[in-house]
Short mmCIF file of all heavy atoms in Angstrom, two decimals:
data_model
loop_
_atom_site.label_atom_id
_atom_site.label_comp_id
_atom_site.label_asym_id
_atom_site.label_seq_id
_atom_site.Cartn_x
_atom_site.Cartn_y
_atom_site.Cartn_z
N GLY A 237 51.70 25.80 -60.69
CA GLY A 237 50.93 24.78 -61.39
C GLY A 237 49.51 25.21 -61.70
O GLY A 237 48.81 24.57 -62.48
N ASN A 238 49.07 26.34 -61.10
CA ASN A 238 47.72 26.87 -61.28
C ASN A 238 46.68 25.76 -61.07
O ASN A 238 45.71 25.65 -61.81
CB ASN A 238 47.55 27.49 -62.67
CG ASN A 238 46.33 28.40 -62.75
OD1 ASN A 238 45.91 28.96 -61.74
ND2 ASN A 238 45.75 28.52 -63.93
N ALA A 239 46.93 24.91 -60.07
CA ALA A 239 46.07 23.74 -59.86
C ALA A 239 44.74 24.14 -59.24
O ALA A 239 43.68 23.77 -59.71
CB ALA A 239 46.79 22.72 -58.98
N GLY A 240 44.78 24.90 -58.15
CA GLY A 240 43.56 25.39 -57.54
C GLY A 240 42.97 24.47 -56.49
O GLY A 240 43.55 23.45 -56.10
N TYR A 241 41.77 24.87 -56.02
CA TYR A 241 41.07 24.17 -54.94
C TYR A 241 39.61 23.99 -55.32
O TYR A 241 38.97 24.89 -55.87
CB TYR A 241 41.14 24.98 -53.64
CG TYR A 241 42.54 25.21 -53.12
CD1 TYR A 241 43.35 26.20 -53.66
CD2 TYR A 241 43.04 24.44 -52.08
CE1 TYR A 241 44.63 26.42 -53.18
CE2 TYR A 241 44.32 24.65 -51.58
CZ TYR A 241 45.11 25.64 -52.14
OH TYR A 241 46.38 25.85 -51.67
N ALA A 242 39.06 22.83 -55.00
CA ALA A 242 37.63 22.58 -55.18
C ALA A 242 36.90 23.17 -53.98
O ALA A 242 37.22 22.84 -52.83
CB ALA A 242 37.36 21.09 -55.29
N THR A 243 35.93 24.05 -54.23
CA THR A 243 35.25 24.75 -53.12
C THR A 243 33.98 24.06 -52.67
O THR A 243 33.48 24.35 -51.59
CB THR A 243 34.91 26.19 -53.55
OG1 THR A 243 34.04 26.15 -54.68
CG2 THR A 243 36.17 26.97 -53.90
N ASP A 244 33.43 23.16 -53.48
CA ASP A 244 32.19 22.46 -53.13
C ASP A 244 32.51 21.08 -52.59
O ASP A 244 32.62 20.10 -53.35
CB ASP A 244 31.28 22.37 -54.35
CG ASP A 244 29.86 21.93 -53.99
OD1 ASP A 244 29.69 21.33 -52.91
OD2 ASP A 244 28.93 22.18 -54.78
N VAL A 245 32.65 21.00 -51.27
CA VAL A 245 33.04 19.73 -50.64
C VAL A 245 31.97 18.67 -50.85
O VAL A 245 32.27 17.50 -51.08
CB VAL A 245 33.29 19.94 -49.13
CG1 VAL A 245 33.66 18.62 -48.46
CG2 VAL A 245 34.40 20.95 -48.91
N VAL A 246 30.72 19.06 -50.76
CA VAL A 246 29.62 18.10 -50.91
C VAL A 246 29.65 17.46 -52.30
O VAL A 246 29.47 16.24 -52.45
CB VAL A 246 28.26 18.78 -50.67
CG1 VAL A 246 27.11 17.82 -50.99
CG2 VAL A 246 28.14 19.23 -49.23
N LEU A 247 29.90 18.28 -53.34
CA LEU A 247 29.97 17.73 -54.70
C LEU A 247 31.12 16.76 -54.83
O LEU A 247 30.99 15.69 -55.44
CB LEU A 247 30.10 18.87 -55.70
CG LEU A 247 30.27 18.45 -57.17
CD1 LEU A 247 29.10 17.59 -57.62
CD2 LEU A 247 30.42 19.68 -58.07
N VAL A 248 32.27 17.11 -54.25
CA VAL A 248 33.43 16.20 -54.30
C VAL A 248 33.10 14.88 -53.63
O VAL A 248 33.36 13.80 -54.17
CB VAL A 248 34.67 16.84 -53.64
CG1 VAL A 248 35.80 15.82 -53.52
CG2 VAL A 248 35.14 18.05 -54.42
N GLU A 249 32.48 14.95 -52.46
CA GLU A 249 32.13 13.73 -51.73
C GLU A 249 31.13 12.90 -52.53
O GLU A 249 31.19 11.66 -52.52
CB GLU A 249 31.56 14.07 -50.36
CG GLU A 249 32.56 14.69 -49.39
CD GLU A 249 33.64 13.73 -48.94
OE1 GLU A 249 33.57 12.53 -49.30
OE2 GLU A 249 34.57 14.16 -48.24
N ARG A 250 30.19 13.57 -53.22
CA ARG A 250 29.22 12.82 -54.03
C ARG A 250 29.90 12.12 -55.19
O ARG A 250 29.61 10.95 -55.47
CB ARG A 250 28.14 13.78 -54.55
CG ARG A 250 27.11 13.07 -55.45
CD ARG A 250 25.92 13.97 -55.74
NE ARG A 250 26.28 15.12 -56.53
CZ ARG A 250 26.45 15.09 -57.85
NH1 ARG A 250 26.33 13.96 -58.52
NH2 ARG A 250 26.76 16.19 -58.52
N LEU A 251 30.83 12.81 -55.84
CA LEU A 251 31.56 12.19 -56.94
C LEU A 251 32.42 11.02 -56.46
O LEU A 251 32.54 10.00 -57.13
CB LEU A 251 32.43 13.23 -57.65
CG LEU A 251 31.66 14.35 -58.38
CD1 LEU A 251 32.63 15.40 -58.90
CD2 LEU A 251 30.83 13.78 -59.52
N VAL A 252 33.02 11.19 -55.28
CA VAL A 252 33.81 10.10 -54.69
C VAL A 252 32.91 8.91 -54.40
O VAL A 252 33.25 7.76 -54.70
CB VAL A 252 34.51 10.58 -53.40
CG1 VAL A 252 35.08 9.39 -52.63
CG2 VAL A 252 35.62 11.57 -53.72
N ALA A 253 31.74 9.19 -53.80
CA ALA A 253 30.81 8.12 -53.48
C ALA A 253 30.36 7.38 -54.73
O ALA A 253 30.28 6.14 -54.75
CB ALA A 253 29.60 8.68 -52.74
N GLU A 254 30.08 8.12 -55.81
CA GLU A 254 29.67 7.49 -57.06
C GLU A 254 30.77 6.62 -57.64
O GLU A 254 30.51 5.52 -58.15
CB GLU A 254 29.26 8.57 -58.07
CG GLU A 254 27.97 9.29 -57.70
CD GLU A 254 27.67 10.47 -58.62
OE1 GLU A 254 28.52 10.76 -59.50
OE2 GLU A 254 26.60 11.10 -58.48
N THR A 255 32.02 7.10 -57.54
CA THR A 255 33.16 6.33 -58.05
C THR A 255 33.34 5.03 -57.27
O THR A 255 33.53 3.96 -57.85
CB THR A 255 34.45 7.16 -57.97
OG1 THR A 255 34.28 8.38 -58.69
CG2 THR A 255 35.63 6.40 -58.56
N LEU A 256 33.26 5.14 -55.93
CA LEU A 256 33.41 3.95 -55.09
C LEU A 256 32.25 2.98 -55.30
O LEU A 256 32.44 1.76 -55.35
CB LEU A 256 33.51 4.36 -53.62
CG LEU A 256 34.75 5.14 -53.20
CD1 LEU A 256 34.66 5.54 -51.74
CD2 LEU A 256 36.02 4.32 -53.42
N GLU A 257 31.03 3.51 -55.41
CA GLU A 257 29.87 2.65 -55.60
C GLU A 257 29.92 1.93 -56.94
O GLU A 257 29.51 0.76 -57.05
CB GLU A 257 28.58 3.47 -55.49
CG GLU A 257 28.17 3.82 -54.06
CD GLU A 257 27.79 2.61 -53.24
OE1 GLU A 257 27.53 1.54 -53.83
OE2 GLU A 257 27.77 2.72 -51.99
N ALA A 258 30.40 2.62 -57.98
CA ALA A 258 30.52 1.97 -59.29
C ALA A 258 31.48 0.79 -59.22
O ALA A 258 31.21 -0.28 -59.78
CB ALA A 258 31.00 2.99 -60.32
N GLU A 259 32.59 0.99 -58.52
CA GLU A 259 33.54 -0.12 -58.35
C GLU A 259 32.94 -1.21 -57.49
O GLU A 259 33.14 -2.40 -57.74
CB GLU A 259 34.84 0.40 -57.74
CG GLU A 259 35.90 -0.67 -57.52
CD GLU A 259 36.44 -1.27 -58.81
OE1 GLU A 259 36.24 -0.66 -59.88
OE2 GLU A 259 37.05 -2.35 -58.75
N ALA A 260 32.18 -0.81 -56.45
CA ALA A 260 31.56 -1.79 -55.56
C ALA A 260 30.59 -2.69 -56.33
O ALA A 260 30.48 -3.90 -56.06
CB ALA A 260 30.84 -1.08 -54.42
N GLU A 261 29.87 -2.11 -57.30
CA GLU A 261 28.95 -2.92 -58.11
C GLU A 261 29.71 -3.97 -58.90
O GLU A 261 29.25 -5.12 -59.02
CB GLU A 261 28.16 -2.01 -59.05
CG GLU A 261 27.00 -1.29 -58.38
CD GLU A 261 26.03 -2.25 -57.73
OE1 GLU A 261 25.57 -3.19 -58.42
OE2 GLU A 261 25.73 -2.08 -56.53
N ARG A 262 30.87 -3.61 -59.42
CA ARG A 262 31.68 -4.59 -60.16
C ARG A 262 32.19 -5.68 -59.23
O ARG A 262 32.22 -6.85 -59.60
CB ARG A 262 32.86 -3.89 -60.85
CG ARG A 262 32.46 -3.03 -62.04
CD ARG A 262 33.66 -2.53 -62.81
NE ARG A 262 34.32 -1.43 -62.11
CZ ARG A 262 34.02 -0.16 -62.28
NH1 ARG A 262 33.06 0.19 -63.11
NH2 ARG A 262 34.66 0.79 -61.61
N VAL A 263 32.56 -5.29 -58.01
CA VAL A 263 33.05 -6.28 -57.05
C VAL A 263 31.91 -7.18 -56.58
O VAL A 263 32.10 -8.38 -56.38
CB VAL A 263 33.71 -5.57 -55.85
CG1 VAL A 263 34.16 -6.59 -54.80
CG2 VAL A 263 34.92 -4.75 -56.32
N ARG A 264 30.71 -6.61 -56.41
CA ARG A 264 29.55 -7.43 -55.99
C ARG A 264 29.26 -8.52 -57.01
O ARG A 264 28.80 -9.61 -56.66
CB ARG A 264 28.33 -6.54 -55.79
CG ARG A 264 28.41 -5.63 -54.58
CD ARG A 264 27.11 -4.88 -54.33
NE ARG A 264 27.27 -3.96 -53.20
CZ ARG A 264 27.43 -2.65 -53.30
NH1 ARG A 264 27.44 -2.09 -54.52
NH2 ARG A 264 27.58 -1.91 -52.24
N ALA A 265 29.51 -8.21 -58.28
CA ALA A 265 29.27 -9.18 -59.35
C ALA A 265 30.16 -10.41 -59.21
O ALA A 265 29.89 -11.46 -59.82
CB ALA A 265 29.47 -8.53 -60.71
N GLU A 266 31.23 -10.30 -58.41
CA GLU A 266 32.12 -11.44 -58.19
C GLU A 266 31.49 -12.49 -57.27
O GLU A 266 32.00 -13.60 -57.18
CB GLU A 266 33.44 -10.96 -57.59
CG GLU A 266 34.21 -10.00 -58.51
CD GLU A 266 35.42 -9.39 -57.82
OE1 GLU A 266 35.75 -9.84 -56.69
OE2 GLU A 266 36.04 -8.47 -58.39
N GLY A 267 30.42 -12.09 -56.55
CA GLY A 267 29.70 -13.07 -55.74
C GLY A 267 29.98 -13.05 -54.26
O GLY A 267 29.65 -14.00 -53.55
N TRP A 268 30.57 -11.96 -53.74
CA TRP A 268 30.89 -11.89 -52.32
C TRP A 268 29.62 -11.81 -51.46
O TRP A 268 28.59 -11.33 -51.91
CB TRP A 268 31.76 -10.68 -52.03
CG TRP A 268 33.09 -10.74 -52.69
CD1 TRP A 268 33.49 -10.09 -53.82
CD2 TRP A 268 34.22 -11.52 -52.27
NE1 TRP A 268 34.78 -10.41 -54.15
CE2 TRP A 268 35.26 -11.29 -53.20
CE3 TRP A 268 34.44 -12.39 -51.22
CZ2 TRP A 268 36.50 -11.90 -53.11
CZ3 TRP A 268 35.69 -13.01 -51.11
CH2 TRP A 268 36.70 -12.76 -52.04
N LYS A 269 29.73 -12.26 -50.23
CA LYS A 269 28.59 -12.20 -49.31
C LYS A 269 28.19 -10.77 -49.03
O LYS A 269 27.01 -10.45 -48.90
CB LYS A 269 28.93 -12.92 -48.00
CG LYS A 269 27.78 -12.93 -46.99
CD LYS A 269 28.11 -13.77 -45.77
CE LYS A 269 26.90 -13.81 -44.83
NZ LYS A 269 27.16 -14.65 -43.64
N TRP A 270 29.17 -9.89 -48.92
CA TRP A 270 28.90 -8.47 -48.69
C TRP A 270 30.01 -7.63 -49.30
O TRP A 270 31.16 -8.06 -49.39
CB TRP A 270 28.75 -8.15 -47.19
CG TRP A 270 29.94 -8.57 -46.36
CD1 TRP A 270 30.13 -9.77 -45.73
CD2 TRP A 270 31.13 -7.80 -46.09
NE1 TRP A 270 31.34 -9.80 -45.09
CE2 TRP A 270 31.97 -8.60 -45.29
CE3 TRP A 270 31.54 -6.52 -46.44
CZ2 TRP A 270 33.20 -8.14 -44.83
CZ3 TRP A 270 32.77 -6.07 -45.99
CH2 TRP A 270 33.59 -6.88 -45.19
N VAL A 271 29.67 -6.43 -49.72
CA VAL A 271 30.63 -5.46 -50.26
C VAL A 271 30.24 -4.09 -49.72
O VAL A 271 29.08 -3.68 -49.83
CB VAL A 271 30.64 -5.44 -51.80
CG1 VAL A 271 31.59 -4.36 -52.31
CG2 VAL A 271 31.02 -6.80 -52.36
N GLU A 272 31.20 -3.39 -49.13
CA GLU A 272 30.95 -2.07 -48.57
C GLU A 272 31.93 -1.06 -49.14
O GLU A 272 33.00 -1.42 -49.62
CB GLU A 272 31.08 -2.09 -47.04
CG GLU A 272 30.04 -2.93 -46.34
CD GLU A 272 30.24 -2.96 -44.83
OE1 GLU A 272 31.28 -2.42 -44.37
OE2 GLU A 272 29.39 -3.50 -44.12
N CYS A 273 31.55 0.23 -49.05
CA CYS A 273 32.45 1.32 -49.43
C CYS A 273 32.90 2.05 -48.18
O CYS A 273 32.14 2.15 -47.21
CB CYS A 273 31.74 2.30 -50.36
SG CYS A 273 31.25 1.60 -51.94
N SER A 274 34.10 2.57 -48.20
CA SER A 274 34.62 3.32 -47.06
C SER A 274 35.67 4.30 -47.56
O SER A 274 36.55 3.93 -48.35
CB SER A 274 35.24 2.39 -46.01
OG SER A 274 35.81 3.13 -44.96
N ALA A 275 35.55 5.56 -47.11
CA ALA A 275 36.54 6.56 -47.51
C ALA A 275 37.92 6.24 -46.94
O ALA A 275 38.95 6.62 -47.49
CB ALA A 275 36.10 7.95 -47.07
N SER A 276 37.94 5.54 -45.81
CA SER A 276 39.21 5.11 -45.19
C SER A 276 38.96 3.82 -44.44
O SER A 276 37.83 3.52 -44.05
CB SER A 276 39.74 6.19 -44.24
OG SER A 276 38.78 6.45 -43.22
N LEU A 277 40.00 3.06 -44.24
CA LEU A 277 39.88 1.77 -43.55
C LEU A 277 40.00 1.96 -42.05
O LEU A 277 40.91 2.63 -41.57
CB LEU A 277 40.95 0.80 -44.05
CG LEU A 277 40.86 0.40 -45.53
CD1 LEU A 277 42.02 -0.51 -45.89
CD2 LEU A 277 39.54 -0.30 -45.81
N SER A 278 39.10 1.36 -41.29
CA SER A 278 39.16 1.44 -39.84
C SER A 278 40.14 0.40 -39.31
O SER A 278 40.54 -0.53 -40.02
CB SER A 278 37.76 1.20 -39.24
OG SER A 278 37.37 -0.15 -39.45
N ASP A 279 40.48 0.55 -38.04
CA ASP A 279 41.42 -0.40 -37.43
C ASP A 279 40.82 -1.79 -37.30
O ASP A 279 41.54 -2.77 -37.13
CB ASP A 279 41.84 0.11 -36.04
CG ASP A 279 42.68 1.37 -36.12
OD1 ASP A 279 43.27 1.61 -37.19
OD2 ASP A 279 42.76 2.11 -35.11
#
Side-chain angles (χ1 to χ4, degrees):
N238 197 27
Y241 298 79
T243 60
D244 192 339
V245 178
V246 173
L247 177 58
V248 172
E249 292 292 355
R250 178 169 66 80
L251 294 174
V252 168
E254 291 173 355
T255 304
L256 293 176
E257 283 294 343
E259 180 66 16
E261 281 303 308
R262 288 189 284 270
V263 177
R264 290 187 183 103
E266 298 173 8
W268 296 101
K269 181 174 183 178
W270 56 269
V271 177
E272 294 178 353
C273 296
S274 176
S276 59
L277 295 177
S278 68
D279 292 339

